[in-house]
Amino acid sequence: MPTDLCNRLQQTIGDLLPIRAKKESMPAVTEEIAFQVCLSPDCGATFGIDEILTGCPNCGSLLDAGYEWDRVAVPFSLSEFESRCGQRSRPIDFSGVWRFRELLPFAHDEQIVTIGEGQTILQQAESVAKYVGMDTGNLFLQYEGFNPSGSFKDNGMTAASTHARIVGAKMTACASTGNTSASLAIYGGITGLFQAVVFVGSGKIAYGKLSQALDYGAKTVQIQGDFDDALIAVREICNRENIYLCNSVNPFRLEGQKTIMYRVLESLSWEPPDWIVVPGGNLGNSSAFGKAFLELKQLGLIDRIPRLAVINAAGANTLYEIVNSEGIHWNDGRPQHSHIEEYMTQMDAENRRAETIASAIEINRPVNLTKCLRALSICDGIVREVSDEEILHGKAQVGAGGFGCEPASGASVAGAKRLREEGMIAPSDRVVCILTGHQLKDPNATVGYHTNNDEGSQEFANQPYVVENDIEKILELLSSFQ
Ligand SMILES: *Cc1c(COP(=O)(O)O)cnc(C)c1O
Ligand SMILES: [Zn+2]
């Protein structure tokens, strides 16, 4: 199978127009309130939520979940959601995703698939605030690594799994740099509702993540190629074989990821911060955040939308280039698609491949690019790139003054520091950095940083000591720690 797959890797996403999959189960009862809608204002086609789609069958654009909000009983105030939090005996109230279910109303309560995701915390991180250059009390870290599989992906996977159940899917699949596969695997394993198949590239994958997919019982297929290659292949396979695709082109996944912002607001007593800073890979998170804020504003639940800063790794900086060098914008739903296409063609012609230690964002063809452009427009957003070195220093700061994170997450702290230095972020602003994954996902990167003295020691390295097995020598060393 892998060789067969490799032969198709040269196809572009444009060739892979989604086809409609046939319905395999009863139509969902919420069909009248929720629907799928094409992102392109020139198409605007709508589809039932019981259809398995990974893009608009008419024009190939991305799809959104849409709702007839006037028929949804949304609470009058956001704090009503908070009161559900303590109901441990009721899984859909305890879930940090589904306690906000009226804001993603595509499933009936009994259809919801939850494993207790979303028990995250927002830390007011003083030492990191100092590092970034913020006033005391103004920098917050949102730990999404506290999710069951150790990354924010569970917010999306609970929603995609719920939709998979609604449409009666028996097999689910994803391409992954690691965390999506860990998340899909845990939902497949715990619920037993479907067989999870995960496709990983042959490049970098952090062992913590690979080990999870294997341990949770997902069928794991390694493709010769990188993540971008694997995703193109798995999209085609899912279309052909009617397998349920759980990458972030799945509009329901992004519905779940909106709740990251709800929990941030909840932790800030529903007072929107000035900035949300998030690493950008496939751009699902940033896209979901934009949609979350737009909907909250339209529903009258917030009166101000925070600004969004999306941070690319310099070695995987397509969004950064598209926005800042190519000058492409959302443009009311009509971004210059041909210009984007040209950029991608040029990238392929030069064989430019994504390359960064932050493997979770080592992506050069972000599938949610246009949705992210929309989010940037909604949130008056900006895009920056940071080097691997800055990412690792940011990560080390989080480790030293907080609960730790994986490399990709360090990009948000590094990005915030950059923006402070530029003067874009003021020290008095309230800034939330999203920490997307758990520290234990990629111990090699962490140990490498702290022990590597190739290029002189790393700025914040906490080097281990080597000492003879001699009590006096050990005591001598200890005395130097005081
Ligand atoms: C998936 C992932 C990202 C990238 O998020 P996108 O929504 O694809 O931009 C960043 N960090 C970690 C740890 C991830 O797992
Ligand atoms: Zn369309």
Side-chain angles (χ1 to χ4, degrees):
M1 190 141 144
T3 5
D4 190 29
L5 294 177
C6 285
N7 294 336
R8 301 195 207 117
L9 298 182
Q10 298 314 316
Q11 288 178 279
T12 67
I13 289 178
D15 295 334
L16 304 174
L17 273 189
I19 48 163
R20 281 189 204 215
K22 66 174 188 300
K23 299 178 188 179
E24 284 197 335
S25 68
M26 296 272 295
V29 220
T30 38
E31 218 170 3
E32 1 28 290
I33 291 177
F35 49 90
Q36 304 186 66
V37 55
C38 177
L39 187 69
S40 162
D42 296 322
C43 171
T46 60
F47 309 91
I49 67 146
D50 56 327
E51 293 200 49
I52 308 174
L53 298 169
T54 58
C56 174
N58 297 354
C59 73
S61 297
L62 294 165
L63 293 171
D64 267 327
Y67 308 101
E68 291 182 26
W69 287 112
D70 47 1
R71 299 179 53 202
V72 182
V74 179
F76 288 109
S77 118
L78 279 170
S79 52
E80 280 185 47
F81 294 109
E82 205 176 339
S83 58
R84 291 174 174 163
C85 188
Q87 308 256 23
R88 299 191 86 88
S89 60
R90 194 149 187 257
I92 62 170
D93 280 347
F94 178 63
S95 166
V97 171
W98 298 104
R99 73 168 174 268
F100 300 102
R101 54 193 172 272
E102 287 87 350
L103 297 173
L104 51 152
F106 67 87
H108 284 300
D109 290 1
E110 64 280 5
Q111 294 171 320
I112 289 172
V113 177
T114 174
I115 61 169
E117 57 287 319
Q119 309 307 323
T120 57
I121 64 160
L122 187 74
Q123 179 201 11
Q124 200 168 27
E126 293 318 333
S127 61
V128 182
K130 199 162 167 223
Y131 174 69
V132 170
M134 303 297 303
D135 288 347
T136 309
N138 282 4
L139 187 99
F140 299 85
L141 301 175
Q142 170 68 9
Y143 286 93
E144 287 297 321
F146 290 178
N147 273 289
S149 81
S151 85
F152 78 82
K153 298 295 196 303
D154 296 346
N155 293 282
M157 214 50 81
T158 182
S161 300
T162 296
H163 187 247
R165 178 193 234 176
I166 291 173
V167 300
K170 292 285 169 277
M171 187 176 276
T172 56
C174 70
S176 181
T177 60
N179 280 333
T180 305
S181 60
S183 184
L184 182 62
I186 199 174
Y187 278 88
I190 292 181
T191 66
L193 285 169
F194 40 74
Q195 173 64 54
V197 186
V198 309
F199 293 79
V200 297
S202 49
K204 267 181 232 122
I205 176 165
Y207 260 36
K209 307 176 187 183
L210 181 59
S211 67
Q212 287 180 289
L214 300 173
D215 216 25
Y216 295 135
K219 301 289 182 202
T220 305
V221 183
Q222 191 169 52
I223 295 183
Q224 284 155 17
D226 63 12
F227 169 81
D228 293 311
D229 297 327
L231 182 54
I232 291 171
V234 74
R235 284 184 88 174
E236 180 177 351
I237 288 159
C238 287
N239 279 336
R240 284 204 195 173
E241 299 301 317
N242 205 16
I243 297 169
Y244 190 88
L245 180 65
C246 288
N247 280 102
S248 53
V249 288
N250 180 322
F252 298 97
R253 226 189 85 178
L254 299 198
E255 289 305 289
Q257 289 170 215
K258 292 191 304 192
T259 65
I260 299 170
M261 290 301 101
Y262 305 155
R263 294 196 302 274
V264 164
L265 290 173
E266 184 178 60
S267 305
L268 294 173
S269 306
W270 308 105
E271 180 58 44
D274 297 297
W275 288 93
I276 301 288
V277 189
V278 64
N282 240 340
L283 307 177
N285 252 350
S286 44
S287 299
F289 297 174
K291 187 170 189 279
F293 286 122
L294 181 66
E295 289 171 348
L296 289 179
K297 184 91 195 304
Q298 286 173 343
L299 290 167
L301 292 167
I302 55 171
D303 50 19
R304 190 170 61 81
I305 293 178
R307 294 191 71 183
L308 182 67
V310 184
I311 312 300
N312 272 166
N317 64 352
T318 300
L319 180 71
Y320 174 81
E321 289 290 338
I322 288 278
V323 169
N324 296 314
S325 305
E326 307 293 323
I328 296 172
H329 299 288
W330 171 240
N331 194 26
D332 290 326
R334 295 176 186 87
Q336 300 94 313
H337 290 294
S338 56
H339 193 158
I340 296 173
E341 217 30 64
E342 262 167 48
Y343 179 89
M344 299 287 184
T345 309
Q346 182 73 15
M347 188 174 77
D348 287 349
E350 292 169 11
N351 199 24
R352 269 187 280 139
R353 293 276 160 178
E355 173 74 50
T356 168
I357 188 154
S359 55
I361 52 174
E362 191 175 52
I363 296 172
N364 254 355
R365 278 182 171 270
V367 289
N368 290 298
L369 182 65
T370 48
K371 267 192 189 172
C372 178
L373 294 176
R374 178 179 65 179
L376 292 170
S377 150
I378 294 168
C379 302
D380 190 13
I382 54 174
V383 185
R384 291 295 182 270
E385 59 172 359
V386 290
S387 68
D388 279 7
E389 198 183 13
E390 290 172 276
I391 285 174
L392 289 175
H393 290 338
K395 175 189 171 309
Q397 288 295 315
V398 174
F403 299 94
C405 64
E406 69 166 277
S409 314
S412 52
V413 171
K417 183 172 165 63
R418 266 288 178 97
L419 291 165
R420 254 308 290 128
E421 283 161 5
E422 280 178 25
M424 181 65 78
I425 290 180
S428 56
D429 285 346
R430 292 206 311 165
V431 176
V432 176
C433 293
I434 310 301
L435 300 182
T436 44
H438 199 281
Q439 183 188 41
L440 295 177
K441 289 281 189 175
D442 193 351
N444 286 0
T446 308
V447 175
Y449 179 89
H450 289 293
T451 59
N452 177 10
N453 36 28
D454 287 353
E455 311 123 40
S457 83
Q458 299 280 9
E459 203 173 341
F460 307 111
N462 181 22
Q463 293 273 359
Y465 298 85
V466 181
V467 63
E468 271 174 57
N469 187 6
D470 175 314
I471 298 293
E472 293 312 316
K473 293 234 165 77
I474 297 172
L475 286 175
E476 194 182 316
L477 176 67
L478 285 185
S479 66
S480 75
F481 295 165
Q482 282 162 9

